[in-house]
Amino acid sequence: MEYILSFLHQHIDLIYIVILSVFLGIEVISRVPSVLHTPLMSGANAIHGVVIIGAIIVMGKAEADNYLALIIGFLAVILGTINVVGGFVVTDRMLEMFKGKKK
Amino acid sequence: MGSSILSIIYLIGSVTFILGLKMLSKPDTARKGNLVAAAGMSLAILGTIFLYRVNDAPLHNYGWIFAGLAIGGVIGVLSAKKVKMTAMPEMVSMFNGMGGACAALISIVEFDHIIKLIKNLYAPVTDDHLVLQLLETTASRGIVVIILLSLIIGAVSCAGSIIAWGKLTGKVKDFSFGGQHFLNLGVLALLIGLSVWLTVIFPTAPATGSIIFYVIFLLALFYGVLFVLPIGGADMPVVISLLNSFTGVAAACGGFLYSNPVMLTGGILVGSAGTILTILMCKAMNRSLKNVLIGSFGGGATGAAAAGKEQGSYKEISLNDAAVVLAYANKVIIVPGYGLAVAQAQHACHELEKQLEDKGVEVKYAIHPVAGRMPGHMNVLLAEADVPYEKLLEMEDANAEFPTTDAVLILGANDVVNPAAKNDPASPIYGMPILEVENAKVVIVNKRSMKPGYAGIENDLFFQPKTSMLFGDAKKVLQDLLGAIKEV
């Protein structure tokens, strides 16, 4: 119990970010027209590609003889990049088609 | 200096994600919002590569990192550019799966790191610095919990997304068996149990710990498959949206692991926004998330409808007759649905519209909010075929126009025009707003067969006297109609 409390205390600033972000996320998109559901989902998909940063850190601190970290990290960087780049490009392509829409 | 700049960069990154999401939820600013978020992401990635410090040392292995970025970037751009608009949902699903896999892989490396440190504890230790580090590690069960969360959620999201992709492309069939829910719950319970066990024993038994860790990884993948397999193909958008928010949470776990605020905000934002979006999608279809996940909807409803009442007979219409009806109408409203998307008939549809307009017919499209496989699917498809935006009517406007419409042409839509949603309180889709096409003078329905739509219920509309059926693949039928109208 004491351990859990001290863990929470140690990371309290991160926990604040988590909780505030939860509410922010709900607030930000609660009034979205259904036409935009697909692009919004795709855009959000690209944003969680931020996990690529973790992959870069793994890769960047791996020692030269740690093949597990190197290989898996490399794979993670590739997959994460596909997620980010593909996600944003696909979203842009979808939204491009809405262009004639504004009146 | 570098670290301070990096923290500012992360702050900017987080803000662009929030702004980007906000802008993405409004039609006017959506495209810009996507670019804003992309710019923030690029900044955060570059900042990490060049400014991130581990124990005051810069990152190394730049060759590997840039090679990975280049390979991933090329694959990402190519697949995103080449994919057909109709295949958008499965593409998003695939990208989502890769994000999940990325999170799971990070966990594997980090756990391996911890296990190595612990193993060294039992070896003769000479380095004081190492001892300190080890003590810190063994004390941090919390970190292992985070690693496990990221591993499990990432793996479930990855495996689930691949199955969802397979279902949308038709490579994986719907599959369910008796007791499946119990199996799912059992696997889930096992996952939780093993995780707790691992968290308790890993500092003292690192070797066993590693084995359990990989068992958990495989089980999580298996659970992802089980989770998506029984859900009907038509519900995949909702599932993809849900898995999308899962991956967000997995990314946020990574943020916790590295105390990295931009990963944390980005991940959690997507996690919560994705959950809300999932619920909104369900609402647009007048269903609950529970319903979608348990998947009892389709099965139960078919039985009820079949037992419910005797269906009348329907009448077919020949191509030539249909051509005459359309060509001599004053106003035609086209109702596109999933059938149009599957047949990739949006261009043929636009051709038909142009040809009818040349003959002096007023043509419009009625877009139901959930027509197709994803909300907004039809708008995207028709926009791809250069159908002018002014021709697309939202549901309320379309319903106001049906009474003055001579002919309605339904292309592969079913549940969104089912009058049972209005008239039959016993119907599972009762209460869902529909396009009231039966108010028009004539209704022509193009479908591949009399099979019910994804709600699995019969549609009375097809048996009404003013309705006639025009069977066939939407694209082929439209092309034939084009020829027939030319000759009228």
Side-chain angles (χ1 to χ4, degrees):
Chain A
M1 188 62 203
E2 193 197 328
Y3 174 70
I4 297 177
L5 280 180
S6 83
F7 182 79
L8 292 181
H9 176 72
Q10 251 177 32
H11 297 94
I12 196 70
D13 43 345
L14 295 181
I15 294 168
Y16 266 103
I17 298 183
V18 169
I19 291 173
L20 292 178
S21 299
V22 167
F23 284 103
L24 198 57
I26 295 172
E27 212 41 54
V28 157
I29 68 144
S30 51
R31 282 176 189 283
V32 52
S34 61
V35 177
L36 281 178
H37 281 176
T38 305
L40 183 62
M41 176 171 113
S42 175
N45 176 46
I47 289 177
H48 70 48
V50 73
V51 69
I52 173 77
I53 289 182
I56 291 174
I57 295 175
V58 161
M59 190 81 250
K61 65 177 189 182
E63 300 84 7
D65 58 344
N66 187 350
Y67 294 110
L68 179 91
L70 283 176
I71 293 170
I72 292 188
F74 185 59
L75 211 59
V77 171
I78 294 179
L79 293 177
T81 316
I82 297 178
N83 185 182
V84 172
V85 176
F88 280 122
V89 173
V90 127
T91 313
D92 190 60
R93 259 189 75 193
M94 278 185 214
L95 291 169
E96 193 182 16
M97 299 188 169
F98 286 90
K99 166 166 87 187
K101 164 171 206 167
K102 273 181 281 175
K103 282 256 99 183
Chain B
M1 176 70 179
S3 310
S4 340
I5 296 177
L6 187 60
S7 40
I8 303 290
I9 285 180
Y10 282 163
L11 180 65
I12 296 173
S14 305
V15 173
T16 59
F17 291 166
I18 297 167
L19 280 179
L21 268 186
K22 180 87 200 157
M23 289 164 85
L24 267 170
S25 56
K26 294 207 187 67
D28 294 351
T29 54
R31 197 168 179 206
K32 226 190 256 163
N34 185 48
L35 293 179
V36 166
M41 181 76 78
S42 317
L43 196 63
I45 290 175
L46 287 177
T48 307
I49 295 177
F50 293 112
L51 300 174
Y52 194 86
R53 294 285 179 277
V54 185
N55 302 331
D56 285 333
L59 295 178
H60 42 97
N61 297 322
Y62 278 135
W64 287 78
I65 293 178
F66 283 112
L69 287 174
I71 296 174
V74 169
I75 298 177
V77 170
L78 283 186
S79 47
K81 287 263 181 204
K82 272 176 68 181
V83 63
K84 293 203 182 69
M85 272 298 146
T86 38
M88 246 6 148
E90 46 263 48
M91 196 74 245
V92 173
S93 177
M94 208 58 188
F95 289 148
N96 181 50
M98 293 180 177
C102 182
L105 292 179
I106 293 172
S107 295
I108 292 180
V109 177
E110 286 303 324
F111 187 77
D112 180 66
H113 186 61
I114 288 184
I115 289 295
K116 277 206 180 110
L117 288 178
I118 294 169
K119 276 186 180 156
N120 282 341
L121 189 64
Y122 298 102
V125 179
T126 49
D127 184 348
D128 281 1
H129 174 70
L130 197 62
V131 175
L132 264 178
Q133 224 179 354
L134 289 173
L135 285 177
E136 240 174 43
T137 313
T138 43
S140 52
R141 286 212 165 87
I143 294 300
V144 170
V145 171
I146 304 279
I147 290 179
L148 281 173
L149 268 180
S150 173
L151 175 84
I152 294 173
I153 300 173
V156 167
S157 175
C158 172
S161 296
I162 291 172
I163 296 294
W165 170 81
K167 283 204 171 194
L168 284 176
T169 50
K171 290 191 173 71
V172 179
K173 296 274 168 286
D174 292 0
F175 176 75
S176 57
F177 50 88
Q180 186 159 14
H181 296 308
F182 293 104
L183 178 65
N184 284 11
L185 283 179
V187 173
L188 190 61
L190 193 59
L191 269 176
I192 296 172
L194 283 176
S195 303
V196 171
W197 188 34
L198 176 62
T199 314
V200 174
I201 65 146
F202 82 91
T204 46
T208 329
S210 299
I211 297 171
I212 301 174
F213 184 81
Y214 287 105
V215 170
I216 291 177
F217 178 50
L218 293 179
L219 264 182
L221 287 174
F222 183 55
Y223 183 73
V225 174
L226 284 181
F227 177 69
V228 179
L229 215 47
I231 300 173
D235 281 328
M236 278 308 123
V238 176
V239 175
I240 295 173
S241 175
L242 187 69
L243 293 174
N244 194 25
S245 57
F246 279 10
T247 312
V249 175
C253 291
F256 218 101
L257 211 55
Y258 299 113
S259 300
N260 188 312
V262 75
M263 284 173 80
L264 202 58
T265 21
I268 293 287
L269 264 182
V270 174
S272 74
T275 310
I276 294 297
L277 187 60
T278 312
I279 293 170
L280 285 178
M281 280 185 176
C282 288
K283 258 195 198 143
M285 295 192 270
N286 197 37
R287 303 186 50 185
S288 73
L289 186 57
K290 196 178 117 222
N291 235 330
V292 171
L293 292 185
I294 294 178
S296 59
F297 187 73
T302 326
K309 59 176 169 263
E310 191 66 20
Q311 291 296 350
S313 59
Y314 57 88
K315 65 171 189 285
E316 276 191 63
I317 187 170
S318 74
L319 262 173
N320 290 332
D321 290 347
V324 171
V325 169
L326 293 174
Y328 286 104
N330 283 318
K331 183 155 87 178
V332 170
I333 293 187
I334 299 176
V335 179
Y338 181 59
L340 175 97
V342 176
Q344 307 226 10
Q346 65 271 31
H347 293 282
C349 185
H350 182 48
E351 287 298 313
L352 179 79
E353 163 217 324
K354 279 196 292 195
Q355 201 179 38
L356 286 174
E357 297 248 291
D358 287 346
K359 292 204 176 268
V361 184
E362 184 187 356
V363 183
K364 287 189 174 152
Y365 294 84
I367 310 290
H368 191 276
V370 298
R373 284 258 154 133
M374 317 194 86
H377 199 172
M378 289 301 129
N379 302 64
V380 175
L381 272 186
L382 292 173
E384 192 204 1
D386 291 326
V387 173
Y389 185 73
E390 308 80 63
K391 289 198 169 294
L392 308 186
L393 299 175
E394 303 247 341
M395 186 168 53
E396 288 80 16
D397 302 333
N399 282 341
E401 293 218 13
F402 283 127
T404 60
T405 304
D406 300 299
V408 168
L409 177 62
I410 297 176
L411 298 169
N414 190 345
D415 296 325
V416 297
V417 293
N418 192 338
K422 246 182 8 182
N423 309 329
D424 179 9
S427 169
I429 60 167
Y430 183 69
M432 178 171 91
I434 56 157
L435 291 165
E436 292 156 1
V437 292
E438 74 271 23
N439 292 338
K441 295 201 182 73
V442 178
V443 179
I444 299 175
V445 181
N446 165 240
K447 270 171 72 54
R448 277 167 300 179
S449 68
M450 282 307 284
K451 258 178 47 193
Y454 82 73
I457 47 176
E458 288 291 350
N459 192 337
D460 285 344
L461 178 75
F462 302 156
F463 305 102
Q464 288 180 3
K466 66 168 67 160
T467 308
S468 25
M469 309 297 293
L470 186 57
F471 291 114
D473 172 82
K475 190 173 190 175
K476 179 149 191 326
V477 164
L478 281 171
Q479 279 160 351
D480 294 346
L481 259 183
L482 273 171
I485 291 176
K486 213 169 272 170
E487 291 177 12
V488 169

